[in-house]
């Protein structure tokens, strides 16, 4: 079977301005360059699905401990699923499907270090490898395993519960025998958390005072908090944890910016007196576990024990707006850009 370029040039999305908070369209521009050519030890990937991730706000602004900020004028850092179409590396043959650091562009010149997953099982849709089998599903699974450690009878609060990470965390926690209370941003999403993903109860945090909503839905408190939002919601939720509770700090979606660092309510008293454990989780610290965990999640998918939703948009130019939308809750499931 022959593989090759389907276009005569490569369109790329470049970061041209440091976002002030949530990235917007004008922080990016599209350019058009020659197609990359494989050199010794490299291969060319044609991107099929670009991933849009909340973490890109951090990559475009301050950077993180695992990656420097994207340099202005260069391709926006992004994960993607693609196919090798030209190769000068014996381990990455033409036709191979991969998930990795291929950027917001049509074609990427890649090296082995850029690859997170070698996609072997093609009975599962390719897009799933960028979401439920990508960093989103892996984050849910590994953060629960490492920090949440759910046992039957626990009550867990899951924030961003209708989203790519939260929906998987919900289903895995429920399968472990937990009572799951989802937190999300609309009545429609709350209904989906219960009807599709199996939350026992779901709270629309925009509906009223969060303290009252939590008290009504968590009369006995909770044992685990899977938090991806931070800020005032986190403060309110910490106060409802039981003794020995575990907090997974997975994200900070509700915090508008980190410079200057925000201050607010203090929780040290609850942490101390309830012997709470508060652990930060970064999925890229656990890359060595990806292959095994991806296979486990793939088995659950095949058995019909894990469902997922995708919000797939068409065309490279849609990517920045899709990132803005995620921070406004205007997404239903894993956001991908199909090329
Ligand atoms: N630590 C890690 O390694 C790691 C890896 C992947 C993802 N994450 C984190 O996991 C979280 C979910 O990521 P995802 O990819 O699955 O995205 P997602 O949940 O599909 O989409 C993000 C969701 O965040 C919620 N949100 C946005 N702004 C908010 C605000 N101001 N206050 C409260 N909620 C807000 C929205 O849901 P509602 O409409 O329900 O508010 C939005 O749909 C993010 O915080 C992300 O950074 C962490």
């Amino acid at each position: 079977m022959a593989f090759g370029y389907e276009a005569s040039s490569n369109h790329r999305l470049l970061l041209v301005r440091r976002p002030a908070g949530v990235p917007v369209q004008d922080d990016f521009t599209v350019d058009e360059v020659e197609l990359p050519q494989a050199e010794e030890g490299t291969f060319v990937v044609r991107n099929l699905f670009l991933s849009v991730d909340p973490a890109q706000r951090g990559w475009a602004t301050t950077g993180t401990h695992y990656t420097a900020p994207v340099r202005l004028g260069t391709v926006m850092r992004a994960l993607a699923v693609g196919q090798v179409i030209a190769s000068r590396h014996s381990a990455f043959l033409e036709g191979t499907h991969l998930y990795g650091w291929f950027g917001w562009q049509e074609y990427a010149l890649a090296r082995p270090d850029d690859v997170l997953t070698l996609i072997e099982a093609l009975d599962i849709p390719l897009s799933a490898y960028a979401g439920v089998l990508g960093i989103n599903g892996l984050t849910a699974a590994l953060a629960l395993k490492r920090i949440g450690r759910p046992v039957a009878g626990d009550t867990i609060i899951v924030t961003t519960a209708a989203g790519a990470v939260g929906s998987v965390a919900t289903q895995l926690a429920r399968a472990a025998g937990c009572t799951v209370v989802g937190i999300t941003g609309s009545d429609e999403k709350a209904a989906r958390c219960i009807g599709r993903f199996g939350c026992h109860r779901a709270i629309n945090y925009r509906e009223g005072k969060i303290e009252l909503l939590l008290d009504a839905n968590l009369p006995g408190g909770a044992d685990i908090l899977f938090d991806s939002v931070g800020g005032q919601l986190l403060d309110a939720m910490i106060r409802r944890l039981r003794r020995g509770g575990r907090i997974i700090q997975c994200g900070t979606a509700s915090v508008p910016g980190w410079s200057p660092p925000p201050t607010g309510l203090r929780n040290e008293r609850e942490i101390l007196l309830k012997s709470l454990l508060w652990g930060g989780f970064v999925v890229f610290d656990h890359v060595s576990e990806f292959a095994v965990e991806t296979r486990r999640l793939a088995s659950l998918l095949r058995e019909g024990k894990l469902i997922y939703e995708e919000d797939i948009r068409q065309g490279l130019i849609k990517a920045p707006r899709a990132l803005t939308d995620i921070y406004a809750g205007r997404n239903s499931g894993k956001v991908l850009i199909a090329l």
Side-chain angles (χ1 to χ4, degrees):
M1 191 168 175
F3 299 96
Y5 296 92
E6 288 196 350
S8 53
S9 61
N10 185 22
H11 291 94
R12 316 182 301 173
L13 266 168
L14 311 180
L15 180 73
V16 290
R17 185 177 72 182
R18 288 270 164 245
V22 174
V24 295
Q25 187 83 41
D26 285 351
D27 297 329
F28 301 89
T29 193
V30 178
D31 81 348
E32 184 178 4
V33 293
E34 285 181 9
L35 292 165
Q37 303 297 325
E39 302 146 9
E40 194 52 38
T42 71
F43 41 94
V44 177
V45 175
R46 180 163 85 88
N47 281 335
L48 302 170
F49 292 99
L50 305 179
S51 185
V52 183
D53 288 288
Q56 286 175 297
R57 173 172 70 156
W59 304 342
T61 52
T62 54
T64 62
H65 74 279
Y66 58 86
T67 177
V70 176
R71 273 188 298 121
L72 294 183
T74 66
V75 176
M76 181 57 202
R77 181 175 301 126
L79 291 161
V81 164
Q83 185 175 33
V84 178
I85 53 149
S87 179
R88 293 188 60 193
H89 194 296
S90 56
F92 296 93
L93 302 178
E94 290 177 12
T96 308
H97 290 92
L98 305 168
Y99 169 57
W101 296 105
F102 307 137
W104 273 356
Q105 57 186 337
E106 293 170 333
Y107 293 90
L109 182 63
R111 294 176 172 73
D113 280 357
D114 296 323
V115 177
L116 288 179
T117 305
L118 203 56
I119 299 175
E120 289 157 352
L122 294 175
D123 58 322
I124 292 171
L126 282 172
S127 58
Y129 285 91
V132 63
L133 300 182
I135 63 161
N136 314 85
L138 291 167
T139 294
L142 291 169
L144 280 175
K145 188 164 129 188
R146 293 263 163 186
I147 300 172
R149 297 190 297 280
V151 292
D154 280 348
T155 295
I156 179 170
I157 309 172
V158 178
T159 63
T160 64
V165 172
S167 60
V168 177
T170 292
Q171 294 172 78
L172 296 179
R174 178 147 187 158
C178 296
T179 297
V180 187
V181 178
I183 313 275
T184 188
S186 74
D187 288 344
E188 183 273 322
K189 286 187 179 184
R192 210 141 33 86
C193 288
I194 295 172
R196 297 259 306 145
F197 303 126
C199 282
H200 294 83
R201 292 186 288 282
I203 295 172
N204 169 5
Y205 63 85
R206 297 183 204 270
E207 194 185 19
K209 208 167 155 38
I210 187 65
E211 288 78 6
L212 298 179
L213 294 168
L214 288 170
D215 287 342
N217 285 280
L218 280 163
D223 306 283
I224 307 169
L225 169 55
F226 196 121
D227 182 49
S228 298
V229 299
Q232 288 180 352
L233 281 176
L234 172 65
D235 288 326
M237 293 183 295
I238 286 182
R239 297 221 153 111
R240 272 111 192 128
L241 289 180
R242 296 174 180 143
R243 263 188 75 76
R246 286 86 70 200
I247 303 160
I248 300 164
Q249 200 60 56
C250 172
T252 57
S254 80
V255 181
W258 292 101
S259 181
T263 55
L265 286 176
R266 306 296 302 263
N267 293 112
E268 55 270 59
R269 197 75 181 149
E270 282 81 13
I271 303 284
L272 168 68
L273 293 181
K274 293 186 185 169
S275 304
L276 303 179
L277 284 177
W278 191 349
F281 179 84
V282 174
V283 71
F284 301 111
D285 293 342
H286 305 274
V287 172
S288 63
E289 295 178 68
F290 280 14
V292 169
E293 206 58 45
T294 303
R295 273 187 223 113
R296 190 172 79 88
L297 292 170
S299 299
L300 292 175
L301 280 184
R302 288 193 190 93
E303 292 163 17
K305 293 179 178 162
L306 186 60
I307 57 166
Y308 62 100
E309 286 184 355
E310 294 174 328
D311 180 337
I312 300 182
R313 305 173 187 201
Q314 302 289 327
L316 182 71
I317 193 65
K318 298 279 176 59
R321 173 63 194 266
L323 183 53
T324 310
D325 282 353
I326 283 182
Y327 275 99
R330 289 190 297 260
N331 66 307
S332 27
K334 173 65 197 178
V335 181
L336 296 169
I337 304 295
L339 298 183

